[in-house]
């Protein structure tokens, strides 16, 4: 197995273990045994348990941006762009439930670098969403676009948390709720 393939394998296992057991309760021994590597090899790859968690978060950050960017690129109208990007977020939270569990349990990780990386995911999506809003609503100024983007991101995260308790609410239905909430203010 190549180094890149091994890193992917380690990140997938670590994401699952962190989400299932919590960051504090997880040991590098737990992850090493499930991956089939020695603990020193995990340290060789990621330096520390925190380094491994940061790598998991960075991978999720890149995958989320890729999913929402792809949705925006494939849309053929402003309305579809808003809808499809929102849907991409909810599908990401469904398809990457383990990564999403890490994001929603951030309060349990007492690490400035981890919390900085979690906030970097939100900032990345704020810039993406603000640019998206300006592309579909040309009369929005920079401040409005960023303020609306923050509101959309916050509401999306809360709705995704709510869906944990309402598994019958599909990604499509959650998207309908978000669009119904924000579309009128955007002139749709």
């Amino acid at each position: 197995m190549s180094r890149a393939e091994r890193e992917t394998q380690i990140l997938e296992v670590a994401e699952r273990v962190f989400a299932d057991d919590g960051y504090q309760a997880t040991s590098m021994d737990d992850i090493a045994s499930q991956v089939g590597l020695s603990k020193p090899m995990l340290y060789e790859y990621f330096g520390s348990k925190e380094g491994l968690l940061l790598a998991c978060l960075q991978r999720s950050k890149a995958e989320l941006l890729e999913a929402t960017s792809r949705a925006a690129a494939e849309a053929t109208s402003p309305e579809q762009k808003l809808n499809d990007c929102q849907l991409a977020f909810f599908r990401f939270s469904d398809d990457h439930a383990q990564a999403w569990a890490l994001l929603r349990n951030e309060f349990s990780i007492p690490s400035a670098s981890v919390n900085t990386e979690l906030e970097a995911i939100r900032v990345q999506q704020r810039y993406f969403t603000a640019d998206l809003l300006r592309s579909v609503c040309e009369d929005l100024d920079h401040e409005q676009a960023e303020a609306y983007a923050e509101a959309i991101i916050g509401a999306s995260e809360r709705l995704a948390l709510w869906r944990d308790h309402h598994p019958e609410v599909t990604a499509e239905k959650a998207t309908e709720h978000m669009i119904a909430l924000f579309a009128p203010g955007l002139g749709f």
Side-chain angles (χ1 to χ4, degrees):
M1 185 177 291
S2 73
R3 182 176 176 91
E5 291 169 328
R6 179 62 79 183
E7 283 182 10
T8 298
Q9 178 193 32
I10 293 168
L11 291 173
E12 288 170 359
V13 169
E15 224 174 73
R16 181 177 39 79
V17 175
F18 286 142
D20 291 347
D21 299 341
Y23 176 75
Q24 298 299 337
T26 298
S27 72
M28 291 295 266
D29 286 324
D30 298 332
I31 295 167
S33 69
Q34 290 191 37
V35 173
L37 286 177
S38 67
K39 187 166 81 170
M41 281 303 296
L42 281 183
Y43 284 103
E44 178 71 28
Y45 277 88
F46 299 101
S48 65
K49 182 170 87 166
E50 185 174 307
L52 179 54
L53 179 59
L54 287 169
C56 289
L57 293 173
Q58 289 162 355
R59 183 175 86 147
S60 294
K61 177 182 169 187
E63 289 174 351
L64 177 58
L65 183 59
E66 180 183 323
T68 52
S69 295
R70 185 174 43 253
E74 294 172 359
T76 58
S77 70
E79 296 86 359
Q80 182 186 8
K81 191 179 279 194
L82 290 173
N83 185 83
D84 291 358
C85 287
Q86 189 66 58
L87 182 58
F89 169 81
F90 287 119
R91 285 184 176 160
F92 177 87
S93 68
D94 289 348
D95 295 343
H96 298 84
Q98 293 154 346
W100 178 244
L102 293 172
L103 290 172
R104 73 175 177 253
N105 292 319
E106 69 184 280
F107 60 86
S108 67
I109 305 170
S111 164
S113 59
V114 170
N115 290 317
T116 298
E117 187 61 34
L118 288 167
E119 186 58 25
I121 294 170
R122 291 184 182 101
V123 170
Q124 167 190 278
Q125 290 308 114
R126 180 185 70 215
Y127 288 134
F128 173 83
T129 303
D131 288 345
L132 173 72
L133 291 173
R134 282 193 298 275
S135 77
V136 299
C137 303
E138 294 175 6
D139 59 333
L140 285 182
D141 64 31
H142 183 77
E143 179 181 297
Q144 286 176 310
E146 282 202 7
Y148 291 1
E150 284 288 342
I152 290 168
I153 290 164
S156 296
E157 285 185 18
R158 293 303 305 173
L159 190 55
L161 286 171
W162 177 78
R163 287 182 63 223
D164 286 347
H165 302 287
H166 297 278
E168 73 280 3
V169 177
T170 64
E172 290 77 11
K173 188 65 175 177
T175 298
E176 287 178 29
H177 292 319
M178 287 295 295
I179 297 300
L181 179 63
F182 287 105
L186 296 172
F188 293 105

